[in-house]
């Protein structure tokens, strides 16, 4: 029963994301004078859904790490931002974020 409820919730969340992406795409395409196909909106929704999943897994792993260690002072540094955490999937982006953090 819980599995079915989770699937239903996931379907509802994905539908809400699809609706929101569709509205944003419609607004932007009107400004640009171009059209977007439903397939494009669907592909963009899937891309965002996957990225949300990756970021949420990263945040959960980070929260567990913080809870198990004394990393609280690290949380107060500028180098460790949500952007850096999300960008850690890409080495060039991580390097850029860390360089920008040390400049400020």
């Amino acid at each position: 029963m819980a599995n079915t409820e989770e699937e239903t919730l996931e379907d509802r969340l994905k539908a809400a994301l699809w609706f929101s992406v569709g509205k944003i795409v419609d607004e932007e395409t009107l400004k640009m004078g171009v059209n977007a196909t439903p397939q494009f909106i669907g592909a963009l929704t899937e891309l965002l859904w996957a990225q949300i999943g990756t970021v949420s897994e990263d945040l959960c792993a980070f929260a567990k790490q913080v809870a198990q260690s004394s990393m609280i002072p690290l949380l107060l540094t500028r180098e460790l931002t949500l952007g850096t955490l999300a960008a850690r999937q890409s080495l060039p982006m991580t390097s850029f974020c860390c360089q920008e953090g040390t400049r400020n």
Side-chain angles (χ1 to χ4, degrees):
M1 177 110 163
N3 195 20
T4 305
E5 289 176 13
E6 287 177 16
E7 289 173 0
T8 302
L9 178 60
E10 184 175 318
D11 290 342
R12 290 178 61 203
L13 289 170
K14 210 171 201 181
L17 180 63
W18 180 85
F19 179 76
S20 296
V21 168
K23 281 182 64 172
I24 293 168
V25 168
D26 286 345
E27 290 172 9
E28 293 302 316
T29 56
L30 281 174
K31 290 178 192 175
M32 297 170 63
V34 296
N35 292 323
T37 65
Q39 292 83 0
F40 174 79
I41 294 170
L44 187 55
T45 300
E46 289 296 324
L47 175 72
L48 288 171
W49 186 260
Q51 190 62 35
I52 289 168
T54 300
V55 170
S56 67
E57 288 172 5
D58 288 347
L59 288 173
C60 286
F62 180 69
K64 287 177 185 175
Q65 180 68 28
V66 169
Q68 295 173 359
S69 68
S70 59
M71 288 181 59
I72 301 303
L74 270 178
L75 291 174
L76 303 175
T77 64
R78 284 187 266 178
E79 291 81 14
L80 187 59
T81 63
L82 183 57
T84 305
L85 181 63
R88 72 185 182 88
Q89 298 291 331
S90 165
L91 186 57
M93 284 299 294
T94 303
S95 300
F96 175 77
C97 289
C98 289
Q99 287 172 1
E100 288 299 310
T102 56
R103 283 187 203 166
N104 296 329

